[in-house]
Amino acid sequence: MATEKNYGNPELENKLRDRYFYTTDSNPEFLADVKKISRTIAHMCYQCGTCTGSCPSAPRSSYRIRLFMRRGVLGLEQEALNDPDLWLCTTCYSCTDRCPRDIAPTDVIMAMRNLAFKYDIVPRNFLKTVQLIYTTGHGVPNNDVNRAAREKLGLTADPPTTHSYPEFMPGIQKIMDHYKMKENADRILAEEGQ
Amino acid sequence: MAEAKEEPRIGVFICHCGTNIAGSLSIEEVMEYAKTLPGVIVADEYQYMCSTPGQKKIVEAIAEHNLNGIVVAACSPRLHEPTFRTATQEGGLNKFRFEMANIRDQNSWVHMHDWEGATAKAKDQVRIAVAKARMLEDLIPKSVPVEHSALVLGGGVGGMQAALDLAGAGIKTYLIEKSPSIGGRMSQLDKTFPTLDCSQCILTPKMVDVGRHPNIELYTYAEVENVEGYIGNFTVTIRKKARGVLSPDEAEARGIIGGGCNGCGDCAEVCPVIKPNPFEFGMAPRKAIYIYHPQVMPLQFTVDFDSCVKCGLCVEACGEEKKAIDLDMVDTFEEVKVGTCILAIGYDLIPIEEKTEWGYKRYDNVITGLEFERLICASGPTGGKLIRPSDGQIPKKVGFVLCAGSRDNTGGVAKPYCSRFCCMYSLKHAHQIMEKIPGAVPYIFYMDIRSFGKMYEEFYYRIQNEGAKFIRGRVANILEDPSTKNLTVFTEDTLLGRPLSLEMDMVVLAAAIQPKPEAERIRQMFGVSKSQDGWLLEAHPKLNPCGTTTAGIYLAGVCQGPKDIPDTVAQAEGAASAASIPIHTGEVQLEPYFAICMDDLCAGCGMCVPQCPYGALALVEKNGRQVMEVTEAKCKGCGTCGGFCPGGAIKMQHFTSPQICAQIDAFLLEGGEQ
Ligand SMILES: Cc1cc2nc3c(=O)[nH]c(=O)nc-3n(C[C@H](O)[C@H](O)[C@H](O)COP(=O)(O)OP(=O)(O)OC[C@H]3O[C@@H](n4cnc5c(N)ncnc54)[C@H](O)[C@@H]3O)c2cc1C
Ligand code: SF4
Ligand code: SF4
Ligand code: SF4
Ligand code: SF4
């Protein structure tokens, strides 16, 4: 967080001067897309704040799920998809459990992430996760420390997942190829590297 | 009756309803089409058929064209059938020579964007209506006398007001209250918003008025067992629950002169059984022989036979003179005849403990608004000292959770509607702690403050000015510190856009309200519908908010939907007025829609008799053979018997088989003659 406001910066000054909401910034298709992907009544949010109040991420970050709900309703596509907070949801579903309007805010966030991916707006770590799943079947692959711990608990060194059944890897890769996930992740990371 | 084979001469009138109808279909086309239908002599249209000039068109057309049937294509019969029937009658026809086609609610409103489709459908609807109109007959409504008495069920502030108004209008009124005292929820309240008058102070005089009004027969500790009959002539069976204690009147009837309960309380003093007092939500004890609270009306003790051990100590304490206690008392039944009934059975809080995230019944210091009322009330279990249930300490930070289960679509225990008085009573509670506890700070967690009534917004202003903290955000959950029993409330301050967790000494839940569980049985007994949420349903939300679709049954107070005391009393006065009209008129007309048995076709098989849900049918002996007979006043015209009779011997007036067949033919055969 900024500790000092740099009033010398013309771009920032411009932004500070103008904080209006312009309807021209609003893309009604955005809400429609979000609803289509999330299959939840995202437009029914009445901004009660229960979601943020429930969210384990909110007190530790600048992430406000309610704010994303609002951006969805108002069609503020660019503002929502470009906000790095979009990636701070832990998908714990606490907000979905409690939302009095029976909306699934978690799924709204997931939908927005899907849409962001279409614009190549994805943080590096998520892209790395894609690569890891592609090669190992795991977002967090097993490592030696874990293996030792598992054995100490009387478990097999590797869990009964693709780690034990590598023959399922081609299937997973096929699914990911269908959605061009790995291809896109590789591309974005490569472009970023330049 | 109509002469046999009278030539049909029908007039059709199409209403624009402003642009309600005319904006979605072609009035002109429908009118031109109507002119081509068999039997139609004239077709016309008008902006608002229900207006005076619209109705005049009908009257004039009848005279000019010698019509004998009228069709209006407009809104719903529920709204304007009476209007157009009157116009038909003014034109000199029998008022049942009228048929309505609902081309608004059932057409233009649903097919708003389909001009061609809606126009075609309107033609169908008009054709079908004309087909029936061609076969309409004169019907004569039955006039029945009305009993000069009324019943009010429920003795809360709504029921009491209704009873006082009816009685004041000279009508004998039976007021039936299930609990041992009248007063309802209002007697549990401490002060009332926005004037902050003491609830009991304004209620007690009314209770006394009810108790001594010569036209009110008060039955407390009583329930309605059964209702029979119809407007003007209801027979109500009242169950007088065994109270175990005689009133002075009841004692006198038993020959105990100068006896009966005088409310001295000697009995309760000696009673060895101690139970939680439900009036105080279990926060105070009561004996097995008890009164709820000091202001009960009537001041008469009651034995709780579920917990009484029949030791007889109370009988002894009461003494030989009063002889008020009878531990062998049993329920008795009484029948009363009334012309009209008002239901005023009130409400309950939802079982808020089922919203587990707020911890009610798990955490000692989470209470409901009604419990707060008792805790802050001078006549309550703590003598008006607000203390924490966990340790008796005075709370300094009190959280008020608004919309606790209201405006919540998640189903189960939660309710989608606004409970309408929690905002205001929470403001009141906030004021009360600031008034009584120096340094106390109320935190009001709200989504919206709905202070919509007269002087309500000003009350909100005052409480804010007094220092209450308002946090806009719905409470997500509450956690208890097991050692201090303090509560942490989690929410978002949505105006700041920041999550909050605030530690409170005590939390008060403004729990949503819901219909009483027995409302279901009551409404079935009285033949009243319910809304989606289970509240008793008014006949029309705008034009008939006190009546129901069952003639002679009216609604008052929260049983019809959430409302505060001013609204409850206002509606009760409306219900009393509506319920007294038929009584003062002295007679009512019943729609002549009852079934008729055509004796010569009836085989006397009796198979229809058990089909009738209203018990209106019986086999009788006529001219030496068994035939069915309809008790007209009991028949609701549902048609079950008419549709069922294997011999076609039952005629449903105004919905005869030939009329219905003609409508079906008109639809399927596009107007081809049957
Ligand atoms: C915490 C709290 C605070 C409130 N504070 C205020 C306030 O400050 N100001 C205000 O205007 N409003 C207030 N209200 C609202 C107020 O309680 C209601 O508006 C009012 O009590 C409604 O009266 P009623 O007669 O419709 O129902 P009730 O008071 O519920 O009365 C119904 C009566 O019918 C009886 N009954 C039920 N079923 C049967 C049956 N089958 N047979 C016979 N009798 C039956 C019941 O025993 C009861 O006596 C408050 C409500 C709550 C919950
Ligand atoms: S909990 Fe639901 S209704 Fe409330 S702000 Fe969040 S998404 Fe909107
Ligand atoms: S699902 Fe995401 S947004 Fe919802 S409470 Fe959990 S972390 Fe927060
Ligand atoms: S009265 Fe206020 S607190 Fe109660 S449900 Fe309505 S808005 Fe919510
Ligand atoms: S029409 Fe219905 S209420 Fe009337 S007699 Fe037949 S079955 Fe009974």
Side-chain angles (χ1 to χ4, degrees), chain A residues 2-161:
Chain A
T3 48
E4 153 191 35
K5 279 191 183 143
N6 185 353
Y7 289 103
N9 177 348
E11 207 184 329
L12 180 69
E13 275 188 12
N14 239 342
K15 196 169 156 54
L16 285 177
R17 210 174 297 129
D18 186 0
R19 309 210 47 185
Y20 275 87
F21 157 61
Y22 295 100
T23 43
T24 44
D25 289 345
S26 160
N27 171 13
E29 286 309 307
F30 180 50
L31 178 61
D33 289 345
V34 166
K35 289 205 298 189
K36 205 163 91 202
I37 300 169
S38 65
R39 296 173 183 229
T40 189
I41 46 172
H43 63 298
M44 292 308 292
C45 170
Y46 61 176
Q47 294 287 298
C48 67
T50 307
C51 47
T52 309
S54 302
C55 181
S57 184
R60 291 160 183 83
S61 68
S62 53
Y63 169 52
R64 306 283 179 266
I65 171 74
R66 179 182 57 83
L67 195 58
F68 282 95
M69 298 302 294
R70 191 74 195 137
R71 287 162 167 167
V73 169
L74 293 180
L76 293 174
E77 181 179 30
Q78 291 311 316
E79 195 178 315
L81 300 189
N82 284 301
D83 185 343
D85 287 355
L86 179 62
W87 303 89
L88 294 181
C89 167
T90 69
T91 61
C92 70
Y93 278 93
S94 301
C95 53
T96 301
D97 274 351
R98 293 189 185 136
C99 169
R101 277 282 163 108
D102 238 350
I103 309 169
T106 321
D107 294 347
V108 169
I109 285 292
M110 301 314 272
M112 288 184 181
R113 288 180 182 177
N114 269 295
L115 292 167
F117 193 42
K118 289 195 180 155
Y119 289 103
D120 290 357
I121 319 172
V122 192
R124 287 181 75 88
N125 51 334
F126 279 79
L127 297 170
K128 294 247 147 109
T129 306
V130 168
Q131 289 175 330
L132 280 170
I133 294 174
Y134 195 84
T135 48
T136 69
H138 279 248
V140 184
N142 214 2
N143 59 23
D144 288 339
V145 180
N146 259 326
R147 287 197 186 90
R150 287 180 60 89
E151 276 173 344
K152 213 167 132 192
L153 290 167
L155 299 168
T156 53
D158 277 314
T161 60

Side-chain angles (χ1 to χ4, degrees), chain B residues 368-395:
Chain B
T368 64
L370 273 175
E371 287 166 347
F372 182 94
E373 294 281 346
R374 296 316 301 150
L375 282 176
I376 201 86
C377 181
S379 66
T382 57
K385 232 172 131 180
L386 183 70
I387 52 169
R388 302 201 324 158
S390 69
D391 52 13
Q393 294 297 306
I394 309 274

Side-chain angles (χ1 to χ4, degrees), chain B residues 305-631:
Chain B
F305 280 111
D306 287 336
S307 48
C308 168
V309 294
K310 300 221 172 174
C311 62
L313 286 172
C314 54
V315 179
E316 235 169 80
C318 184
E320 276 307 302
E321 242 159 59
K322 283 180 274 166
K323 263 202 178 152
I325 301 172
D326 172 3
L327 294 178
D328 298 319
M329 206 184 253
V330 288
D331 291 5
T332 55
F333 296 89
E334 204 178 310
E335 256 184 21
V336 296
K337 285 196 147 283
V338 294
T340 53
C341 305
I342 295 177
L343 307 182
I345 56 175
Y347 67 98
D348 272 339
L349 297 188
I350 59 166
I352 190 77
E353 61 274 19
E354 288 178 29
K355 276 272 183 185
T356 50
E357 60 262 41
W358 294 318
Y360 180 67
K361 284 197 177 161
R362 274 192 298 137
Y363 306 149
D364 291 343
N365 295 328
V366 175
I367 63 171
T368 64
L370 273 175
E371 287 166 347
F372 182 94
E373 294 281 346
R374 296 316 301 150
L375 282 176
I376 201 86
C377 181
S379 66
T382 57
K385 232 172 131 180
L386 183 70
I387 52 169
R388 302 201 324 158
S390 69
D391 52 13
Q393 294 297 306
I394 309 274
K396 283 287 167 65
K397 284 171 82 177
V398 183
F400 293 92
V401 176
L402 268 56
C403 294
S406 302
R407 308 173 65 204
D408 183 326
N409 294 56
T410 54
V413 60
K415 302 293 168 194
Y417 47 82
C418 169
S419 296
R420 282 193 76 210
F421 45 62
C422 354
C423 282
M424 290 305 294
Y425 76 61
S426 298
L427 292 174
K428 170 182 79 177
H429 293 170
H431 163 81
Q432 283 172 304
I433 62 169
M434 290 187 290
E435 181 186 45
K436 284 208 171 179
I437 307 171
V441 186
Y443 286 82
I444 298 177
F445 299 94
Y446 72 102
M447 284 199 265
D448 303 288
I449 294 290
R450 301 190 164 182
S451 52
F452 53 86
K454 191 169 179 178
M455 295 305 288
Y456 287 12
E457 189 65 20
E458 293 83 340
F459 189 64
Y460 175 20
Y461 182 93
R462 168 178 171 186
I463 308 310
Q464 189 179 15
N465 189 36
E466 283 173 356
K469 297 266 178 280
F470 289 82
I471 294 174
R472 194 203 171 274
R474 184 176 170 277
V475 169
N477 64 323
I478 298 172
L479 292 178
E480 182 193 61
D481 178 336
S483 58
T484 62
K485 300 280 179 185
N486 285 351
L487 303 157
T488 304
V489 177
F490 293 86
T491 185
E492 179 188 0
D493 185 323
T494 57
L495 302 178
L496 268 183
R498 288 188 203 161
L500 282 188
S501 59
L502 287 177
E503 193 170 321
M504 298 284 147
D505 301 328
M506 190 175 198
V507 167
V508 185
L509 303 178
I513 61 165
Q514 66 180 17
K516 290 231 170 221
E518 63 257 47
E520 186 57 28
R521 192 180 67 93
I522 299 288
R523 86 172 182 84
Q524 286 183 3
M525 208 154 53
F526 285 86
V528 175
S529 308
K530 62 177 170 183
S531 60
Q532 213 177 357
D533 304 316
W535 300 107
L536 301 185
L537 190 65
E538 65 287 343
H540 191 285
K542 289 148 203 152
L543 304 176
N544 195 351
C546 303
T548 69
T549 46
T550 299
I553 311 289
Y554 307 87
L555 306 174
V558 180
C559 64
Q560 181 259 339
K563 51 182 78 64
D564 55 17
I565 296 165
D567 286 0
T568 294
V569 171
Q571 196 196 20
E573 302 211 274
S577 156
S580 66
I581 291 171
I583 292 178
H584 285 315
T585 311
E587 61 166 33
V588 284
Q589 293 203 330
L590 299 180
E591 299 248 50
Y593 291 165
F594 48 85
I596 290 180
C597 178
M598 294 177 283
D599 291 351
D600 40 351
L601 288 180
C602 175
C605 67
M607 285 162 75
C608 54
V609 175
Q611 304 293 327
C612 174
Y614 305 99
L617 305 181
L619 280 186
V620 295
E621 173 104 15
K622 259 190 209 166
N623 304 327
R625 62 189 199 95
Q626 293 267 321
V627 287
M628 183 273 268
E629 191 178 70
V630 184
T631 307

Side-chain angles (χ1 to χ4, degrees), chain B residues 76-223:
Chain B
S76 85
R78 260 185 77 174
L79 197 64
H80 276 318
E81 192 175 59
T83 316
F84 296 128
R85 277 189 176 168
T86 308
T88 306
Q89 200 166 28
E90 271 175 19
L93 288 181
N94 178 283
K95 68 174 179 179
F96 294 94
R97 294 281 184 150
F98 167 76
E99 183 66 20
M100 203 156 178
N102 183 346
I103 60 167
R104 188 185 72 175
D105 311 21
Q106 293 172 1
N107 189 344
S108 66
W109 276 355
V110 257
H111 308 294
M112 206 171 282
H113 306 295
D114 178 9
W115 183 270
E116 303 291 316
T119 305
K121 181 169 166 181
K123 289 180 185 172
D124 287 346
Q125 289 176 290
V126 168
R127 186 173 69 244
I128 292 166
V130 168
K132 182 170 176 191
R134 285 206 300 263
M135 310 185 78
L136 287 174
E137 298 167 333
D138 289 357
L139 296 174
I140 314 296
K142 248 183 95 75
S143 219
V144 293
V146 179
E147 286 284 336
H148 202 80
S149 58
L151 176 104
V152 177
L153 188 63
V157 65
M160 282 163 47
Q161 184 66 46
L164 283 170
D165 283 6
L166 287 167
I171 296 164
K172 173 156 185 110
T173 305
Y174 301 93
L175 177 56
I176 318 290
E177 167 58 49
K178 149 185 98 152
S179 74
S181 169
I182 52 171
R185 290 278 175 225
M186 193 176 161
S187 55
Q188 289 178 305
L189 307 179
D190 180 36
K191 292 184 174 162
T192 54
F193 61 75
T195 40
L196 294 175
D197 8 38
C198 144
S199 186
Q200 277 295 356
C201 310
I202 55 174
L203 189 67
T204 311
K206 253 196 203 305
M207 291 164 68
V208 174
D209 286 351
V210 168
R212 66 168 171 228
H213 201 294
N215 283 340
I216 297 181
E217 289 250 4
L218 178 59
Y219 291 73
T220 52
Y221 213 48
E223 278 176 50

